[in-house]
Structures are given as structure tokens and as C-alpha cells.
Amino acid sequence: MPRRFFLTAVTVFALSFGALAHPGMATAGTRIYEGREAAALRCANTLALTAVALSSAELIGEGEKNVMLGVTVRILDRHVKGSWAQKRAAMEVMRDRRSVPDTLEDYRRIAERCLVQFPIN
């Protein structure tokens, strides 16, 4: 089971951050997130982008990065409704709206609160 979760985390991360976003291109599957779900998306985006940035800077190892990405997947799975395609599209929009420095500052300010507000256990 843990191996399957790891593969899911990496797959969702690749889908979330590997594709180009198309803001403004509404499709039949487009979903608008507000309130608590939007906050969960922001937390997930903050954790995922920070994990990648810290790993790229060699400040954390691959294991720590994968744990953070796994937390991201759990937040999305437990606290955001919709299909994975809709969640992925929302993560792309969130990623494109926030600069890397702004997202890293979000991490400093809200990461602990995110884990309390959006538990993964």
C-alpha cells in the first residue's frame, strides 16, 4: 500500500506541475473552487511548490520531497471535491497566479496552519 501511495503522489505531482495551464479556457469539466476548497488548493500548491524548490536547491532530500508531495495529494484527496483532472487544472491556475517567492513566503506563514486546517490522517 505505501508503494502505491508513493506512485500516486508522484503521478499527481507530475500531472499538476508538468502541464501548461490554460486560464480562461472553460470546458465542460471546468470547476470553480471557493472558500474552504480554495484554501485547501492554496495549501496543497504551497506545499508542493516548496517541496520542489527546496529539493532543487538541495536543501531537502528526495525522501522529504516525496513526503511533502504525498501530503499535497492527501489534502487534495480529502478536502477538495471534483475529479483529479479538475483538481489538476485548479492547481495549475493556482501555480500560475503565485510567484515562487510569494509561495515560499506562504509556506513560512501558513504551512503549519494548513496541516491543522486540512488534516491528512
Side-chain angles (χ1 to χ4, degrees):
M1 182 80 170
R3 182 173 170 84
R4 194 172 101 204
F5 177 74
F6 171 74
L7 292 175
T8 302
V10 172
T11 301
V12 169
F13 171 75
L15 291 173
S16 295
F17 290 93
L20 294 175
H22 300 288
M25 291 183 63
T27 65
T30 300
R31 183 178 178 102
I32 307 268
Y33 290 95
E34 299 175 318
R36 187 167 172 80
E37 287 182 302
L41 283 163
R42 184 170 180 176
C43 284
N45 177 68
T46 298
L47 291 172
L49 191 131
T50 300
V52 172
L54 292 175
S55 178
S56 294
E58 298 182 356
L59 295 172
I60 62 171
E62 194 70 18
E64 292 89 351
K65 178 183 84 172
N66 288 333
V67 167
M68 290 177 74
L69 295 176
V71 170
T72 296
V73 170
R74 299 288 296 260
I75 289 172
L76 292 172
D77 186 48
R78 292 177 181 229
H79 301 284
V80 180
K81 294 178 184 168
S83 68
W84 280 105
Q86 290 167 327
K87 294 173 190 184
R88 181 192 73 230
M91 288 284 285
E92 291 170 354
V93 170
M94 182 70 64
R95 176 201 64 206
D96 291 346
R97 285 184 179 168
R98 307 284 299 156
S99 70
V100 172
D102 287 343
T103 302
L104 294 175
E105 181 57 32
D106 285 347
Y107 180 80
R108 286 187 201 99
R109 287 185 309 102
I110 67 172
E112 190 173 325
R113 183 177 48 186
C114 284
L115 296 176
V116 171
Q117 187 175 3
F118 303 107
I120 61 168
N121 297 329

